[in-house]
Every structure is written in structure tokens, then in C-alpha cells.
Amino acid sequence: MKKKVAIIGSGFASLAAACYLAKDGYEVEIFEKNSNIGGRARQLKKDGFCFDIGPTWYWMPDVFERFFADFGKKPSDYYELEKLSPAYKVFFGKEDSITIEDSLDKICAAFEAEEPGSSKKLKEFIKEAKDNYDIAIKDLVYRPGVSPLELVTPTTAGKIGQFFSTISKEVRKEFSNTKLVQILEFPVLFLGAKASNTPAFYSFMNYADFGLGTWHPKGGMYKVIEGMESLAKSLGIKVNVNAPVSEIFVENNTATGMLVNGKKIKADYILSGADYHHTETLLPEYKRQYKESYWKKKTFAPSALLFFAGFDKKLENVTHHTLFFDTDFEKHAKAIYDDAEWPENPLFYASFPSVTDDAAAPEGKEAGIFLIPLAPDVEDTPEIREKYFQKIITRFESLTNQNVTDHLLFKESFCVKDFKEEYNSYKGNAYGLANTLLQTAFLRPKLKSKKVHKLFFTGQLSVPGPGVPPSLISGKLAAGLIQKED
């Protein structure tokens, strides 16, 4: 008789784990609290517009290919990918921007135009970043974080210094131009921490950026979720929505089932892809691995204030992905990581998927997603949200030299309160637990509970870390640990 695995949540990590377990012969059932699957990767549809609420960047295409290949499939079996050209544009001021194109040679030319001599340094930097990528993504991140010895290999031995230096130090050794420094420090923001707190080894994110490029699934990132759902169902996985879990049952130190909408669901194993902290609150207090004091001491990735806006015209001077670095980055970072307060003049990111994807907006109109990174757990009110929308839209109009306020059809917002309510997110964080030196690999919350037998975890608060590709890997790692139990 097949052993049953009950999975909490239906994000990238949960769906990945479900597929691996079903392939290995387990009976798998997913329980999602919201009305749609995808966890944080959901969509908002309104008046013919379509917005990705969660992830909007498709990086590391090889990780997606590796996932689907494990099932004899390809991403193209489920969705159509387009390499973005340009990848993104960065504004530093009015009539002051740098466009990152779709190849390293073009990016080198942009660097050279900004700072003569910098292209040679960039090629060397990316060569080292590629070396790190080959070590990390093809090997290290596929280890489950059980032991520190996982990090000790002949190749990592030569990289040990990079775990004790930082991205910020290494970039600034070679580049003095502030704009180029900011561009090179930008990718590690996906890891949830400042470049000054992120080990230099994580420069592999720069190779993901400049070497592999930025891609877009036609129809949005949710097409990846739909592809994974299709794969899951073909493997016989049952998916339940509107199915919140309110308790995990433990007998003789072993997880035996869950309470879902007042009904007891029995299972041989329980795997949670929901917020790790929240999942442990479903257990008796003495069965939790990590106390409140543990979580309070951790460095969390930022939360975010997001706006989803529909415009009645096509916008000018923007690309699919557009970054606005026209204010002081250090002050904004200090507000997030040191002071835990709203930034006075925030940097922000904007995505206009309808620039390259007709499915994102009606003809002749534009879909805009605006994101301000924030400290987790800051005060969140409608008045504050509106104040910050006005701040960024005023700057946006000035920097892109156009009026958009008069062409705004609607806007919806999503912030700290929503992350808490929709995803049970600890302090309303958006991206999980930051990848700092002391929160890397075996130093992250464990995939396997030490206190409750047959209880496992996956996702961005566990191994290997935040981001969509790491979540796919996390699902594979958690499934592997369950398989080892039998």
C-alpha cells in the first residue's frame, strides 16, 4: 500500500516536492489555504489586465530545465519562454540611465561607456561569478543542509575566502563608479540581504544576471505554476484549495495527520511548504524546534509595498523590468535592515509586462507593477500606502518625462498586512530568510524536524534559500529526505 504524504501549501517548493514524491510512488495530497494554487506566485486579473502578484523575474533557466527534465519534460512542454532584450533598465536620475542588454558583450559596452576600462574588469568578475555558479547551482545547493561537511569539497576549499568576504567588498575592489557598483550589487537583493552582508561567493547571482540573462514566460510567471500543476496532476497528485490547516497531530513524537476545515486528514508524512514559523505554531509548543527568540534574532528578507496599476495608454521610456536608483541606496537599506522603519525616499522597482507580453493588458494599454522594499512588520495603513504611491509616481513621471497620473485606470495594493493574512508570513516578510553568512546552508532552519518524526519543511525559510529557483531545489531536497526515511 502506498504511503501518504500530506503537503501544506502549493507554492513552487511544495509543488516540486509533490512531483518528486509522486514519481517515487507516494500518494500525495496538497492542501492550499487560498482559493488558487501557487502560494505567493498568484495572479491578479482585472478589466482585461493580468498581473503577477508574486515573482516577476525568471532567472536561472537551467534550474527550471533540470526540474522538468527529472520527469522527462521540458519547460516548453508547458509554457513559452522569451529572453528579454533589454533585460532591464536602471534610472539614476533624470536623463541618466543605463540599459542592461541581453548579452555580456553588450553589457560590457554599456560599462565601458560609463567608465573606460571597466569592461575588462567586468569580464574577469563574471568569469569568477560563472565559476561560483558552476560550483553552487550544479552541486552545493542540491545538498540538504544536514551537515557543515556538505560545504567541504575540493572546489570549495579554494573558495573559502569568499565566504568571509562580501559582495560589496569584492565589487568595490574593482569598480569605483557608483552606478556600476549599484548594478553589480543589485542581483544579491534577490537573496534578501544587503551586499555588505552577503558572502562574496554569491557573486554567482551576477552570472545568472549577465551570463544567463533575464527571461519571461509568455502569460506571466503564473504559467510556470500552471505547468507544474499540470505535471502534478499527471502524476496523480490531488490538490485541494480553500483548505487551511489549523493543527498538526502528533502521537508518540510522530506526525500522524492534520486538521483541515475541521476534518482530520491522516498521513504517513507531513511536509510543509507554508511559512516555517507559522507551521510550527500548528504544533504543541514543546514540539517546536525553534522558539520565538530564535526567529526574532534572524535576519529576514524585506517585505514590500506593491501596486498593480492599469494605464489607458502605452508608457514611454520604460522596459519590461525597470529599476529606480535615483535616491540614496544606503539610507533605504538602513531603513530596512537597521532601523525597521519606512524609508523617506525609497528606491523602487517597476515591471511593465505588457511591453513584451500582449496577454498582460488590453491593446494600447499598459500594466504596471511597482514595488518598494520595506522592513518586515512596519506599520501598514491605507494612508501610508497612498502616501508612498504618490511619492514614487511623482518621481516616475519626472524620470521618464511623462504624465501617467491622468491615465491611471485603477490601482490595487499589497503590503505587510496582506503578506501576513494571505500567506501567514512571519512579520509580513516577502522573500523569506536572508542568505547571510550565518544563515547559509546548514545554518538555516532544517528541512527535517528534530522533534517530530515524519514532519518535514520546504521553501524559502529553509534550505537553500529565497527565490524561485532555490524553491524548486528545496522541494527536491525535502522529497529526497522523505524518501530516505523508508
Side-chain angles (χ1 to χ4, degrees), residues 35 40 52 78 120 125 217 235 308 322 405 425:
S35 57
R40 300 180 190 217
D52 280 313
Y78 300 100
K120 183 179 179 182
F125 184 80
L235 293 167
F308 308 98
T322 311
T405 303
S425 171

Side-chain angles (χ1 to χ4, degrees), residues 25-85:
Y26 291 85
E27 178 189 348
V28 182
E29 189 167 3
I30 292 172
F31 299 87
E32 166 60 51
K33 74 178 283 286
N34 292 314
S35 57
N36 299 101
I37 69 158
R40 300 180 190 217
R42 296 187 296 162
Q43 282 188 326
L44 167 67
K45 293 185 177 182
K46 183 171 181 176
D47 300 341
F49 291 83
C50 184
F51 308 88
D52 280 313
I53 294 178
T56 56
W57 293 77
Y58 192 104
W59 272 8
M60 304 184 188
D62 52 322
V63 175
F64 294 85
E65 289 164 7
R66 185 168 173 177
F67 168 76
F68 285 109
D70 284 340
F71 303 91
K73 300 291 185 179
K74 304 184 296 295
S76 59
D77 292 328
Y78 300 100
Y79 52 88
E80 181 183 342
L81 270 183
E82 175 185 1
K83 190 174 187 181
L84 295 181
S85 177

Side-chain angles (χ1 to χ4, degrees), residues 103 107 110 178 180 226 238 253 302 332 411-412 418 427:
S103 73
I107 296 167
T178 302
L180 302 186
E226 290 178 341
K238 184 178 179 182
N253 293 324
H332 189 162
K411 71 175 187 294
E412 302 281 347
D418 302 298
K427 292 187 175 181

Side-chain angles (χ1 to χ4, degrees), residues 298-369:
K298 291 298 174 186
T299 300
F300 275 82
S303 184
L305 169 57
L306 293 129
F307 293 101
F308 308 98
F311 298 96
D312 68 5
K313 69 167 187 174
K314 301 300 288 184
L315 303 190
E316 301 168 2
N317 302 322
V318 296
T319 56
H320 187 118
H321 296 298
T322 311
L323 303 167
F324 295 86
F325 287 0
D326 57 308
T327 60
D328 191 318
F329 175 84
E330 291 303 322
K331 285 185 179 178
H332 189 162
K334 187 173 184 291
I336 295 173
Y337 295 101
D338 303 328
D339 301 331
E341 63 185 16
W342 282 85
E344 182 62 31
N345 295 301
L347 285 76
F348 65 99
Y349 153 70
S351 173
F352 302 96
S354 45
V355 167
T356 51
D357 191 342
D358 292 340
E363 186 176 355
K365 298 179 181 179
E366 205 86 270
I369 302 168

